[in-house]
Amino acid sequence: MDINTLIIGAGAAGMMCAAHAGPGTLVIDHAKSAGEKIRISGGGRCNFTNMDAGPANFISQNPHFCKSALKRYTQWDFIALVDSYRIAWHEKTLGQLFCDDTAKDIVTMLRSEMDKAGAQLWLQTSVDNIRHDGTNFRATLMREGKITEVIAKNLVVACGGKSIPKMGATGFAYQIAAQFDLPVVETRAGLVPFTFGEDRFKPLAGVALPARISAHGPAFDEALLFTHRGLSGPAILQASSYWHAGNTINVNLDPTSGLLDFLKAARQDQGRKALTTVMGQYLPARLVDFLNADLQLTGNIADQSDARLQEITDQITAWILTPSGTEGYRTAEVTLGGVDTDALSSKTMGAKSVPGLYFIGECVDVTGWLGGYNFQWAWSSGWAAGQAIANT
């Protein structure tokens, strides 16, 4: 079977690329249906992009690499595509855009764009072998018990990272990169909850509050959730992408900086009340009880000096913790690291050393923040590769 382009992976990036790569395109995936991660994302409503998406929202060894694709295919371009299909959407918070109805609308839209472009889709198809004969790529595919030999001018690797293995995620993209001597930046789980040993936060499981979290990177002001295993919530997931094993994290339980003034006012108005009672009016009571042992929150509020209230506030706003680890790829939303961007063209996503070989989406060393940024990278990188292939 002779084709122009073989795309491995029918996810967000792969389908986007197929919609733009021109005639003679075949997309394959081992899953039963296309766009499975799209379907489950955003609670089934797909946080398909972010109004604020820009290079600063991405992590990579080369922070400049993503600029070209993001500039040439923006969030506004994708929003226009969504609007053209009359898919209703809304902004939830922090620029995050979700479908009003269902994430399946995005999958249907992309399948329609693929159909318009004449791209074929083979599902439940596995790759047994890939090689290059000096002119073309040759792939041995297994589908419905039959072996098909495909000869393609272009090979696009869009099969994602290692996150959420229960959905079939593997490190196949990195194996292909290694086969063609492309370097791979060490991978690790990103946008993932932290774990702590000895059931440290088990008594607080289910407690949530606004917080500011940092892990040797930007600080994120979002919700913090205590779990049986450790810490989760949007603020934690964001910070986790900047965390390395053994490092500390900084937890600020008073991101609006109102605690000190609150305690001073309470000292005047509620002097006879216990310090823990007053603090329980500002922070979750279970959390105050938990912190009591470490912070020694004894006595009435009237007995606390300005210096003591300042000391308590300082401790509340700079709680230094050392996670024992993360929950790993099992629950991670993304994979950090991936195919080294130094080996790729930022304009085309093509391998500099292997003409016709492209890597797009999550398998590349470009990882977005939580909030629709990783989908935008899928759209932008898929579009860039598709345009490059269509114009060669």
Side-chain angles (χ1 to χ4, degrees):
M1 180 178 177
D2 280 297
I3 59 174
N4 190 55
T5 304
L6 174 63
I7 300 176
I8 301 175
M15 287 194 286
M16 190 67 174
C17 182
H20 294 275
T25 297
L26 170 64
V27 184
I28 64 169
D29 201 295
H30 61 121
K32 292 182 180 180
S33 55
E36 280 294 87
K37 276 194 176 179
I38 298 174
R39 183 181 60 79
I40 69 164
S41 70
R45 291 193 172 181
C46 188
N47 179 191
F48 57 82
T49 192
N50 195 293
M51 294 178 75
D52 301 320
N57 308 113
F58 293 84
I59 303 165
S60 173
Q61 283 199 341
N62 178 3
H64 301 290
F65 180 83
C66 64
K67 290 181 178 179
S68 177
L70 291 173
K71 183 176 181 180
R72 289 183 299 127
Y73 191 89
T74 70
Q75 57 270 43
W76 310 112
D77 293 314
F78 192 77
I79 291 168
L81 177 62
V82 170
D83 286 344
S84 73
Y85 277 79
R86 295 191 173 93
I87 297 172
W89 53 269
H90 61 278
E91 180 184 358
K92 191 172 181 181
T93 182
L94 300 172
Q96 301 168 12
L97 304 189
F98 289 79
C99 297
D100 281 1
D101 189 14
T102 172
K104 294 177 183 178
D105 290 342
I106 299 295
V107 178
T108 301
M109 176 189 78
L110 293 169
R111 287 287 291 110
S112 177
E113 289 292 292
M114 286 173 59
D115 289 343
K116 287 180 186 178
Q120 295 184 71
L121 174 63
W122 287 7
L123 296 169
Q124 294 180 283
T125 301
S126 61
V127 182
D128 285 353
N129 183 271
I130 295 174
R131 58 206 178 279
H132 196 275
D133 63 11
T135 304
N136 295 302
F137 293 93
R138 292 177 174 268
T140 304
L141 309 180
M142 178 68 75
R143 182 192 187 210
E144 297 176 348
K146 297 178 181 178
I147 294 175
T148 302
E149 186 82 9
V150 173
I151 302 171
K153 178 183 175 185
N154 305 292
L155 174 65
V156 181
V157 182
C159 47
K162 299 177 182 178
S163 52
I164 318 183
K166 70 179 180 181
M167 295 191 67
T170 68
F172 188 50
Y174 315 128
Q175 296 174 29
I176 298 173
Q179 178 182 336
F180 290 99
D181 295 322
L182 271 65
V184 175
V185 175
E186 184 178 2
T187 61
R188 67 185 198 278
L191 298 180
V192 63
F194 287 126
T195 57
F196 290 79
E198 301 176 350
D199 294 330
R200 180 170 180 181
F201 296 117
K202 192 173 182 179
L204 292 175
V207 171
L209 73 161
R212 177 175 298 148
I213 312 293
S214 61
H216 302 274
F220 294 95
D221 285 30
E222 291 191 69
L224 162 66
L225 172 67
F226 291 91
T227 72
H228 288 280
R229 294 171 57 86
L231 300 176
S232 189
I236 290 292
L237 300 187
Q238 294 279 37
S240 73
S241 292
Y242 293 87
W243 183 80
H244 292 267
N247 284 356
T248 59
I249 63 171
N250 188 306
V251 178
N252 180 346
L253 299 173
D254 181 29
T256 58
S257 302
L259 178 59
L260 183 59
D261 287 343
F262 175 83
L263 292 176
K264 287 181 177 179
R267 188 173 55 187
Q268 297 293 323
D269 303 335
Q270 309 176 57
R272 291 185 176 183
K273 289 186 178 179
L275 175 58
T276 52
T277 301
V278 172
M279 289 192 64
Q281 298 169 7
Y282 192 88
L283 296 169
R286 281 167 62 195
L287 177 58
V288 174
D289 289 341
F290 182 87
L291 294 171
N292 190 4
D294 287 339
L295 302 188
Q296 297 179 335
L297 304 174
T298 58
N300 293 336
I301 185 69
D303 301 328
Q304 314 301 319
S305 66
D306 282 354
R308 176 59 180 143
L309 294 182
Q310 183 66 62
E311 180 184 18
I312 293 170
T313 301
D314 290 345
Q315 291 172 307
I316 290 291
T317 56
W319 192 16
I320 307 301
L321 300 171
T322 304
S324 57
T326 72
E327 292 192 3
Y329 294 115
R330 180 180 65 85
T331 58
E333 296 203 16
V334 292
T335 302
L336 290 151
V339 178
D340 195 327
T341 57
D342 285 348
L344 305 176
S345 161
S346 62
K347 183 178 180 182
T348 68
M349 309 305 295
K352 295 175 182 177
S353 59
V354 186
L357 177 62
Y358 300 81
F359 290 85
I360 58 176
E362 188 183 354
C363 69
V364 179
D365 177 31
V366 174
T367 305
W369 289 2
L370 183 72
Y373 298 100
N374 287 292
F375 274 129
Q376 185 57 46
W377 173 244
W379 316 137
S380 297
S381 61
W383 179 90
Q387 289 291 310
I389 291 167
N391 293 317
T392 54

